[in-house]
Amino acid sequence: MITREDLEKREYEILSPYAAKVAESRGRKVPEEKCAIRTDYQRDRDRIIHSKSFRRLMHKTQVFLAPEGDHFRTRLTHTIEVSQIARTIARSLGLNEDLTEAISLGHDLGHTPFGHNGEKVLNDLYKGGFRHNVQSLRVVDVLESNGVRRGMNLTEEVRDGILNHTGKTLPLTLEGQIVKISDRVAYINHDIDDALRSGVITESDLPKACIEVLGKTHRGRINTLVTDLIENSFEKDRISMSRTCMTHMELLRDFMFENVYHNRKVKKDEELEKINHILKSLYQYYIENPDQLPEDLRQMVPEFGLEEMVKDHIAGMTDRYAVNLYTELFVPKGWK
């Protein structure tokens, strides 16, 4: 039988000197008895996968609001694609694949309904401001509690990677840095795929210089970026791409913001106003009716305050739950 101790020893034998070794982890906020079979990073991954927040990602917007087609990405499929790209890079560089996977799967747990548009609404409503990476950390630290512990009690390396997967701060580990750039590689390319499928853009619209450098196909571009990143990061203490690939990836990202993310075909003004109205109405409803919050959140009001718990409740909703709840609370029902 291969035990946890065997796996920990194996890391020293096969991983790069730059890899995060689980035996050297900074540990958990609350010490726990070790698992006989799984390493701490493997346990973190499993806790994330089995959480309610992870399951809810299935019905949260990636780019297209409540898409009708079955083949459009959701926040869950985005997360899986980030994990696949990041694990490939980590494996090739001899870094810790378990840590990389745990960070990847947990990085977007705090995302709001209706994607970044929902995030903007909550940022305006909640006096403390709202950033999805900070909320993701709050999910794993506080909100995903059970009768045994508060939150998931994840290792410090996973928590750091989740918090710093976006923003200016560089994650502590190379594995966290991999997730940070894999997130961008994933969403730029799969959002192009969805935009092409929807007819919002055509292949001829894509910047020619970017296509010539990165590739003409979805898989070709990802392969180019991943290979370039591996070649430029091998046996180094920082994860990076070549200047050429990074420049053209950023140009492609700029193109997506201008032509897709801010495209009025994708997000019509009237639809965005509806999202704004739904989330504002729900937020105000729970401020005025705190007794209607779920029991577990109500119990935390004395510790964190009502507004924070209302923010947590709204952020945790799926798109369809928010719409259905708004309909139940504010739309008159016909008399039967």
Side-chain angles (χ1 to χ4, degrees), residues 255-290:
F255 167 83
M256 290 297 290
F257 269 95
E258 183 177 349
N259 295 276
V260 178
Y261 302 142
H262 296 157
N263 190 312
R264 289 296 174 249
K265 290 182 181 178
V266 177
K267 296 171 181 176
K268 300 176 183 178
D269 288 337
E270 58 266 30
E271 296 302 311
L272 296 180
E273 185 55 39
K274 290 175 186 176
I275 289 170
N276 191 304
H277 181 69
I278 287 172
L279 296 185
K280 281 185 175 180
S281 298
L282 292 175
Y283 191 91
Q284 190 60 36
Y285 173 81
Y286 284 108
I287 292 294
E288 296 173 357
N289 301 276

mmCIF file of all heavy atoms in Angstrom, residues 255-290:
data_model
loop_
_atom_site.group_PDB
_atom_site.id
_atom_site.type_symbol
_atom_site.label_atom_id
_atom_site.label_comp_id
_atom_site.label_asym_id
_atom_site.label_seq_id
_atom_site.Cartn_x
_atom_site.Cartn_y
_atom_site.Cartn_z
ATOM 1 N N PHE A 255 -8.404 42.602 -27.521
ATOM 2 C CA PHE A 255 -9.397 42.411 -28.572
ATOM 3 C C PHE A 255 -10.698 41.856 -28.002
ATOM 4 O O PHE A 255 -11.802 42.298 -28.368
ATOM 5 C CB PHE A 255 -8.844 41.459 -29.644
ATOM 6 C CG PHE A 255 -9.891 40.957 -30.606
ATOM 7 C CD1 PHE A 255 -10.275 41.713 -31.706
ATOM 8 C CD2 PHE A 255 -10.510 39.727 -30.394
ATOM 9 C CE1 PHE A 255 -11.254 41.255 -32.588
ATOM 10 C CE2 PHE A 255 -11.486 39.258 -31.271
ATOM 11 C CZ PHE A 255 -11.861 40.022 -32.364
ATOM 12 N N MET A 256 -10.581 40.890 -27.072
ATOM 13 C CA MET A 256 -11.772 40.271 -26.484
ATOM 14 C C MET A 256 -12.552 41.271 -25.638
ATOM 15 O O MET A 256 -13.784 41.287 -25.661
ATOM 16 C CB MET A 256 -11.373 39.051 -25.657
ATOM 17 C CG MET A 256 -10.879 37.877 -26.480
ATOM 18 S SD MET A 256 -12.161 37.241 -27.586
ATOM 19 C CE MET A 256 -13.276 36.488 -26.391
ATOM 20 N N PHE A 257 -11.868 42.124 -24.912
ATOM 21 C CA PHE A 257 -12.573 43.125 -24.111
ATOM 22 C C PHE A 257 -13.339 44.091 -25.006
ATOM 23 O O PHE A 257 -14.481 44.448 -24.733
ATOM 24 C CB PHE A 257 -11.586 43.894 -23.227
ATOM 25 C CG PHE A 257 -11.404 43.284 -21.867
ATOM 26 C CD1 PHE A 257 -10.364 42.405 -21.616
ATOM 27 C CD2 PHE A 257 -12.298 43.566 -20.842
ATOM 28 C CE1 PHE A 257 -10.204 41.821 -20.370
ATOM 29 C CE2 PHE A 257 -12.157 43.001 -19.590
ATOM 30 C CZ PHE A 257 -11.102 42.120 -19.349
ATOM 31 N N GLU A 258 -12.718 44.488 -26.077
ATOM 32 C CA GLU A 258 -13.340 45.467 -26.961
ATOM 33 C C GLU A 258 -14.482 44.870 -27.781
ATOM 34 O O GLU A 258 -15.510 45.522 -27.999
ATOM 35 C CB GLU A 258 -12.284 46.063 -27.904
ATOM 36 C CG GLU A 258 -12.825 47.146 -28.826
ATOM 37 C CD GLU A 258 -11.747 47.767 -29.687
ATOM 38 O OE1 GLU A 258 -10.553 47.509 -29.417
ATOM 39 O OE2 GLU A 258 -12.090 48.507 -30.623
ATOM 40 N N ASN A 259 -14.306 43.633 -28.222
ATOM 41 C CA ASN A 259 -15.248 43.057 -29.180
ATOM 42 C C ASN A 259 -16.212 42.018 -28.607
ATOM 43 O O ASN A 259 -17.204 41.695 -29.261
ATOM 44 C CB ASN A 259 -14.475 42.421 -30.338
ATOM 45 C CG ASN A 259 -13.714 43.443 -31.147
ATOM 46 O OD1 ASN A 259 -14.257 44.081 -32.033
ATOM 47 N ND2 ASN A 259 -12.432 43.614 -30.825
ATOM 48 N N VAL A 260 -15.925 41.506 -27.416
ATOM 49 C CA VAL A 260 -16.790 40.473 -26.839
ATOM 50 C C VAL A 260 -17.277 40.861 -25.447
ATOM 51 O O VAL A 260 -18.476 40.992 -25.200
ATOM 52 C CB VAL A 260 -16.080 39.102 -26.781
ATOM 53 C CG1 VAL A 260 -16.984 38.050 -26.121
ATOM 54 C CG2 VAL A 260 -15.686 38.652 -28.189
ATOM 55 N N TYR A 261 -16.367 41.052 -24.511
ATOM 56 C CA TYR A 261 -16.773 41.297 -23.121
ATOM 57 C C TYR A 261 -17.614 42.561 -22.974
ATOM 58 O O TYR A 261 -18.497 42.632 -22.119
ATOM 59 C CB TYR A 261 -15.540 41.379 -22.204
ATOM 60 C CG TYR A 261 -14.673 40.148 -22.238
ATOM 61 C CD1 TYR A 261 -13.293 40.246 -22.193
ATOM 62 C CD2 TYR A 261 -15.227 38.870 -22.322
ATOM 63 C CE1 TYR A 261 -12.478 39.122 -22.219
ATOM 64 C CE2 TYR A 261 -14.437 37.739 -22.350
ATOM 65 C CZ TYR A 261 -13.063 37.870 -22.309
ATOM 66 O OH TYR A 261 -12.270 36.753 -22.345
ATOM 67 N N HIS A 262 -17.344 43.558 -23.798
ATOM 68 C CA HIS A 262 -18.122 44.807 -23.763
ATOM 69 C C HIS A 262 -19.044 44.945 -24.966
ATOM 70 O O HIS A 262 -19.560 46.031 -25.234
ATOM 71 C CB HIS A 262 -17.184 46.021 -23.679
ATOM 72 C CG HIS A 262 -16.381 46.057 -22.419
ATOM 73 N ND1 HIS A 262 -15.189 46.749 -22.302
ATOM 74 C CD2 HIS A 262 -16.589 45.480 -21.204
ATOM 75 C CE1 HIS A 262 -14.709 46.607 -21.082
ATOM 76 N NE2 HIS A 262 -15.534 45.841 -20.401
ATOM 77 N N ASN A 263 -19.242 43.843 -25.679
ATOM 78 C CA ASN A 263 -20.092 43.860 -26.865
ATOM 79 C C ASN A 263 -21.557 43.890 -26.455
ATOM 80 O O ASN A 263 -22.010 43.076 -25.653
ATOM 81 C CB ASN A 263 -19.807 42.613 -27.714
ATOM 82 C CG ASN A 263 -20.476 42.677 -29.078
ATOM 83 O OD1 ASN A 263 -21.656 42.979 -29.189
ATOM 84 N ND2 ASN A 263 -19.713 42.370 -30.118
ATOM 85 N N ARG A 264 -22.320 44.812 -27.009
ATOM 86 C CA ARG A 264 -23.725 44.965 -26.637
ATOM 87 C C ARG A 264 -24.596 43.821 -27.147
ATOM 88 O O ARG A 264 -25.735 43.655 -26.715
ATOM 89 C CB ARG A 264 -24.261 46.305 -27.152
ATOM 90 C CG ARG A 264 -23.683 47.490 -26.383
ATOM 91 C CD ARG A 264 -24.127 47.439 -24.927
ATOM 92 N NE ARG A 264 -23.492 48.452 -24.108
ATOM 93 C CZ ARG A 264 -22.606 48.211 -23.165
ATOM 94 N NH1 ARG A 264 -22.206 46.967 -22.951
ATOM 95 N NH2 ARG A 264 -22.109 49.180 -22.419
ATOM 96 N N LYS A 265 -24.075 43.017 -28.087
ATOM 97 C CA LYS A 265 -24.807 41.820 -28.489
ATOM 98 C C LYS A 265 -24.742 40.760 -27.389
ATOM 99 O O LYS A 265 -25.674 39.995 -27.183
ATOM 100 C CB LYS A 265 -24.223 41.239 -29.781
ATOM 101 C CG LYS A 265 -24.470 42.074 -31.027
ATOM 102 C CD LYS A 265 -23.879 41.364 -32.255
ATOM 103 C CE LYS A 265 -24.092 42.174 -33.502
ATOM 104 N NZ LYS A 265 -23.475 41.504 -34.686
ATOM 105 N N VAL A 266 -23.602 40.704 -26.716
ATOM 106 C CA VAL A 266 -23.398 39.721 -25.652
ATOM 107 C C VAL A 266 -24.107 40.168 -24.383
ATOM 108 O O VAL A 266 -24.789 39.387 -23.721
ATOM 109 C CB VAL A 266 -21.888 39.526 -25.376
ATOM 110 C CG1 VAL A 266 -21.674 38.545 -24.214
ATOM 111 C CG2 VAL A 266 -21.192 39.029 -26.633
ATOM 112 N N LYS A 267 -23.938 41.440 -24.048
ATOM 113 C CA LYS A 267 -24.519 41.973 -22.821
ATOM 114 C C LYS A 267 -25.238 43.272 -23.146
ATOM 115 O O LYS A 267 -24.665 44.362 -23.085
ATOM 116 C CB LYS A 267 -23.429 42.192 -21.769
ATOM 117 C CG LYS A 267 -22.772 40.882 -21.328
ATOM 118 C CD LYS A 267 -21.565 41.105 -20.458
ATOM 119 C CE LYS A 267 -20.920 39.778 -20.070
ATOM 120 N NZ LYS A 267 -19.685 39.957 -19.294
ATOM 121 N N LYS A 268 -26.492 43.134 -23.507
ATOM 122 C CA LYS A 268 -27.294 44.288 -23.864
ATOM 123 C C LYS A 268 -27.522 45.163 -22.636
ATOM 124 O O LYS A 268 -27.649 44.672 -21.518
ATOM 125 C CB LYS A 268 -28.631 43.830 -24.445
ATOM 126 C CG LYS A 268 -28.502 42.978 -25.709
ATOM 127 C CD LYS A 268 -29.857 42.482 -26.173
ATOM 128 C CE LYS A 268 -29.714 41.582 -27.395
ATOM 129 N NZ LYS A 268 -31.014 41.035 -27.837
ATOM 130 N N ASP A 269 -27.609 46.458 -22.887
ATOM 131 C CA ASP A 269 -27.791 47.396 -21.776
ATOM 132 C C ASP A 269 -29.017 47.046 -20.943
ATOM 133 O O ASP A 269 -28.982 47.102 -19.716
ATOM 134 C CB ASP A 269 -27.920 48.830 -22.312
ATOM 135 C CG ASP A 269 -26.597 49.375 -22.835
ATOM 136 O OD1 ASP A 269 -25.546 48.865 -22.398
ATOM 137 O OD2 ASP A 269 -26.613 50.299 -23.663
ATOM 138 N N GLU A 270 -30.099 46.668 -21.623
ATOM 139 C CA GLU A 270 -31.322 46.374 -20.876
ATOM 140 C C GLU A 270 -31.179 45.116 -20.036
ATOM 141 O O GLU A 270 -31.769 44.999 -18.952
ATOM 142 C CB GLU A 270 -32.522 46.247 -21.833
ATOM 143 C CG GLU A 270 -32.384 45.184 -22.912
ATOM 144 C CD GLU A 270 -31.836 45.737 -24.207
ATOM 145 O OE1 GLU A 270 -31.057 46.719 -24.152
ATOM 146 O OE2 GLU A 270 -32.178 45.188 -25.268
ATOM 147 N N GLU A 271 -30.364 44.144 -20.516
ATOM 148 C CA GLU A 271 -30.132 42.925 -19.738
ATOM 149 C C GLU A 271 -29.260 43.225 -18.526
ATOM 150 O O GLU A 271 -29.494 42.700 -17.435
ATOM 151 C CB GLU A 271 -29.478 41.853 -20.619
ATOM 152 C CG GLU A 271 -30.347 41.381 -21.779
ATOM 153 C CD GLU A 271 -31.679 40.817 -21.306
ATOM 154 O OE1 GLU A 271 -31.677 39.968 -20.380
ATOM 155 O OE2 GLU A 271 -32.726 41.235 -21.830
ATOM 156 N N LEU A 272 -28.257 44.062 -18.707
ATOM 157 C CA LEU A 272 -27.401 44.445 -17.590
ATOM 158 C C LEU A 272 -28.191 45.212 -16.547
ATOM 159 O O LEU A 272 -27.974 45.055 -15.337
ATOM 160 C CB LEU A 272 -26.221 45.285 -18.090
ATOM 161 C CG LEU A 272 -25.237 44.579 -19.031
ATOM 162 C CD1 LEU A 272 -24.132 45.538 -19.446
ATOM 163 C CD2 LEU A 272 -24.638 43.338 -18.373
ATOM 164 N N GLU A 273 -29.126 46.037 -17.001
ATOM 165 C CA GLU A 273 -29.966 46.777 -16.063
ATOM 166 C C GLU A 273 -30.864 45.831 -15.275
ATOM 167 O O GLU A 273 -31.124 46.046 -14.087
ATOM 168 C CB GLU A 273 -30.804 47.808 -16.822
ATOM 169 C CG GLU A 273 -31.632 48.711 -15.921
ATOM 170 C CD GLU A 273 -30.801 49.430 -14.880
ATOM 171 O OE1 GLU A 273 -29.680 49.863 -15.194
ATOM 172 O OE2 GLU A 273 -31.274 49.534 -13.724
ATOM 173 N N LYS A 274 -31.328 44.773 -15.929
ATOM 174 C CA LYS A 274 -32.138 43.771 -15.228
ATOM 175 C C LYS A 274 -31.324 43.080 -14.134
ATOM 176 O O LYS A 274 -31.804 42.849 -13.025
ATOM 177 C CB LYS A 274 -32.666 42.734 -16.219
ATOM 178 C CG LYS A 274 -33.727 43.258 -17.171
ATOM 179 C CD LYS A 274 -34.103 42.196 -18.190
ATOM 180 C CE LYS A 274 -35.065 42.739 -19.242
ATOM 181 N NZ LYS A 274 -35.367 41.718 -20.293
ATOM 182 N N ILE A 275 -30.067 42.736 -14.461
ATOM 183 C CA ILE A 275 -29.185 42.110 -13.474
ATOM 184 C C ILE A 275 -28.975 43.043 -12.293
ATOM 185 O O ILE A 275 -29.063 42.644 -11.123
ATOM 186 C CB ILE A 275 -27.833 41.761 -14.125
ATOM 187 C CG1 ILE A 275 -27.996 40.596 -15.109
ATOM 188 C CG2 ILE A 275 -26.784 41.401 -13.066
ATOM 189 C CD1 ILE A 275 -26.778 40.355 -15.960
ATOM 190 N N ASN A 276 -28.713 44.292 -12.599
ATOM 191 C CA ASN A 276 -28.522 45.303 -11.567
ATOM 192 C C ASN A 276 -29.751 45.382 -10.668
ATOM 193 O O ASN A 276 -29.634 45.388 -9.426
ATOM 194 C CB ASN A 276 -28.257 46.651 -12.256
ATOM 195 C CG ASN A 276 -27.786 47.713 -11.302
ATOM 196 O OD1 ASN A 276 -28.441 48.020 -10.320
ATOM 197 N ND2 ASN A 276 -26.643 48.297 -11.620
ATOM 198 N N HIS A 277 -30.912 45.393 -11.274
ATOM 199 C CA HIS A 277 -32.160 45.518 -10.516
ATOM 200 C C HIS A 277 -32.419 44.273 -9.653
ATOM 201 O O HIS A 277 -32.818 44.385 -8.484
ATOM 202 C CB HIS A 277 -33.325 45.734 -11.475
ATOM 203 C CG HIS A 277 -34.652 45.886 -10.793
ATOM 204 N ND1 HIS A 277 -34.975 46.984 -10.020
ATOM 205 C CD2 HIS A 277 -35.733 45.048 -10.738
ATOM 206 C CE1 HIS A 277 -36.188 46.837 -9.525
ATOM 207 N NE2 HIS A 277 -36.668 45.676 -9.958
ATOM 208 N N ILE A 278 -32.187 43.092 -10.219
ATOM 209 C CA ILE A 278 -32.411 41.843 -9.475
ATOM 210 C C ILE A 278 -31.526 41.793 -8.230
ATOM 211 O O ILE A 278 -32.009 41.548 -7.118
ATOM 212 C CB ILE A 278 -32.137 40.613 -10.374
ATOM 213 C CG1 ILE A 278 -33.251 40.443 -11.398
ATOM 214 C CG2 ILE A 278 -32.004 39.339 -9.532
ATOM 215 C CD1 ILE A 278 -32.965 39.367 -12.434
ATOM 216 N N LEU A 279 -30.225 42.033 -8.397
ATOM 217 C CA LEU A 279 -29.304 41.908 -7.272
ATOM 218 C C LEU A 279 -29.516 43.011 -6.234
ATOM 219 O O LEU A 279 -29.444 42.760 -5.024
ATOM 220 C CB LEU A 279 -27.859 41.905 -7.775
ATOM 221 C CG LEU A 279 -27.476 40.713 -8.664
ATOM 222 C CD1 LEU A 279 -25.991 40.753 -9.011
ATOM 223 C CD2 LEU A 279 -27.820 39.387 -7.995
ATOM 224 N N LYS A 280 -29.819 44.229 -6.696
ATOM 225 C CA LYS A 280 -30.103 45.319 -5.744
ATOM 226 C C LYS A 280 -31.366 45.015 -4.940
ATOM 227 O O LYS A 280 -31.415 45.252 -3.720
ATOM 228 C CB LYS A 280 -30.267 46.647 -6.491
ATOM 229 C CG LYS A 280 -28.963 47.297 -6.884
ATOM 230 C CD LYS A 280 -29.212 48.672 -7.498
ATOM 231 C CE LYS A 280 -27.890 49.376 -7.788
ATOM 232 N NZ LYS A 280 -28.098 50.714 -8.382
ATOM 233 N N SER A 281 -32.377 44.488 -5.611
ATOM 234 C CA SER A 281 -33.633 44.183 -4.938
ATOM 235 C C SER A 281 -33.442 43.077 -3.898
ATOM 236 O O SER A 281 -33.961 43.168 -2.776
ATOM 237 C CB SER A 281 -34.696 43.753 -5.958
ATOM 238 O OG SER A 281 -34.959 44.795 -6.867
ATOM 239 N N LEU A 282 -32.712 42.029 -4.259
ATOM 240 C CA LEU A 282 -32.465 40.929 -3.329
ATOM 241 C C LEU A 282 -31.621 41.400 -2.139
ATOM 242 O O LEU A 282 -31.876 41.020 -0.993
ATOM 243 C CB LEU A 282 -31.770 39.772 -4.047
ATOM 244 C CG LEU A 282 -32.607 39.028 -5.100
ATOM 245 C CD1 LEU A 282 -31.759 37.986 -5.813
ATOM 246 C CD2 LEU A 282 -33.832 38.375 -4.462
ATOM 247 N N TYR A 283 -30.625 42.218 -2.423
ATOM 248 C CA TYR A 283 -29.761 42.735 -1.360
ATOM 249 C C TYR A 283 -30.581 43.535 -0.345
ATOM 250 O O TYR A 283 -30.496 43.315 0.874
ATOM 251 C CB TYR A 283 -28.676 43.613 -1.982
ATOM 252 C CG TYR A 283 -27.550 44.005 -1.048
ATOM 253 C CD1 TYR A 283 -26.402 43.229 -0.950
ATOM 254 C CD2 TYR A 283 -27.636 45.172 -0.280
ATOM 255 C CE1 TYR A 283 -25.364 43.596 -0.108
ATOM 256 C CE2 TYR A 283 -26.606 45.539 0.565
ATOM 257 C CZ TYR A 283 -25.460 44.748 0.649
ATOM 258 O OH TYR A 283 -24.442 45.117 1.485
ATOM 259 N N GLN A 284 -31.406 44.442 -0.847
ATOM 260 C CA GLN A 284 -32.217 45.269 0.034
ATOM 261 C C GLN A 284 -33.244 44.436 0.793
ATOM 262 O O GLN A 284 -33.532 44.695 1.973
ATOM 263 C CB GLN A 284 -32.924 46.364 -0.781
ATOM 264 C CG GLN A 284 -33.597 47.431 0.073
ATOM 265 C CD GLN A 284 -32.618 48.160 0.971
ATOM 266 O OE1 GLN A 284 -31.476 48.410 0.581
ATOM 267 N NE2 GLN A 284 -33.058 48.489 2.188
ATOM 268 N N TYR A 285 -33.776 43.414 0.132
ATOM 269 C CA TYR A 285 -34.761 42.544 0.784
ATOM 270 C C TYR A 285 -34.173 41.884 2.026
ATOM 271 O O TYR A 285 -34.803 41.865 3.098
ATOM 272 C CB TYR A 285 -35.249 41.478 -0.194
ATOM 273 C CG TYR A 285 -36.143 40.441 0.461
ATOM 274 C CD1 TYR A 285 -37.486 40.700 0.690
ATOM 275 C CD2 TYR A 285 -35.624 39.211 0.858
ATOM 276 C CE1 TYR A 285 -38.296 39.762 1.312
ATOM 277 C CE2 TYR A 285 -36.428 38.261 1.482
ATOM 278 C CZ TYR A 285 -37.767 38.543 1.702
ATOM 279 O OH TYR A 285 -38.573 37.607 2.317
ATOM 280 N N TYR A 286 -32.963 41.360 1.916
ATOM 281 C CA TYR A 286 -32.365 40.674 3.059
ATOM 282 C C TYR A 286 -31.872 41.641 4.131
ATOM 283 O O TYR A 286 -31.840 41.291 5.310
ATOM 284 C CB TYR A 286 -31.229 39.762 2.589
ATOM 285 C CG TYR A 286 -31.748 38.502 1.939
ATOM 286 C CD1 TYR A 286 -31.657 38.309 0.566
ATOM 287 C CD2 TYR A 286 -32.364 37.503 2.699
ATOM 288 C CE1 TYR A 286 -32.153 37.167 -0.034
ATOM 289 C CE2 TYR A 286 -32.866 36.352 2.108
ATOM 290 C CZ TYR A 286 -32.756 36.189 0.745
ATOM 291 O OH TYR A 286 -33.256 35.059 0.152
ATOM 292 N N ILE A 287 -31.501 42.856 3.720
ATOM 293 C CA ILE A 287 -31.159 43.872 4.717
ATOM 294 C C ILE A 287 -32.388 44.184 5.572
ATOM 295 O O ILE A 287 -32.298 44.345 6.800
ATOM 296 C CB ILE A 287 -30.635 45.161 4.038
ATOM 297 C CG1 ILE A 287 -29.271 44.922 3.383
ATOM 298 C CG2 ILE A 287 -30.566 46.308 5.037
ATOM 299 C CD1 ILE A 287 -28.148 44.623 4.360
ATOM 300 N N GLU A 288 -33.549 44.257 4.921
ATOM 301 C CA GLU A 288 -34.785 44.580 5.630
ATOM 302 C C GLU A 288 -35.419 43.355 6.290
ATOM 303 O O GLU A 288 -36.236 43.501 7.205
ATOM 304 C CB GLU A 288 -35.785 45.207 4.656
ATOM 305 C CG GLU A 288 -35.319 46.540 4.086
ATOM 306 C CD GLU A 288 -36.237 47.065 2.996
ATOM 307 O OE1 GLU A 288 -37.211 46.350 2.648
ATOM 308 O OE2 GLU A 288 -35.977 48.180 2.469
ATOM 309 N N ASN A 289 -35.051 42.150 5.826
ATOM 310 C CA ASN A 289 -35.628 40.917 6.369
ATOM 311 C C ASN A 289 -34.529 39.912 6.714
ATOM 312 O O ASN A 289 -34.434 38.836 6.113
ATOM 313 C CB ASN A 289 -36.593 40.291 5.352
ATOM 314 C CG ASN A 289 -37.731 41.209 4.980
ATOM 315 O OD1 ASN A 289 -38.756 41.279 5.675
ATOM 316 N ND2 ASN A 289 -37.553 41.932 3.874
ATOM 317 N N PRO A 290 -33.665 40.240 7.688
ATOM 318 C CA PRO A 290 -32.533 39.353 8.005
ATOM 319 C C PRO A 290 -32.969 37.973 8.486
ATOM 320 O O PRO A 290 -32.206 37.013 8.362
ATOM 321 C CB PRO A 290 -31.795 40.113 9.109
ATOM 322 C CG PRO A 290 -32.805 41.065 9.680
ATOM 323 C CD PRO A 290 -33.681 41.441 8.538
#
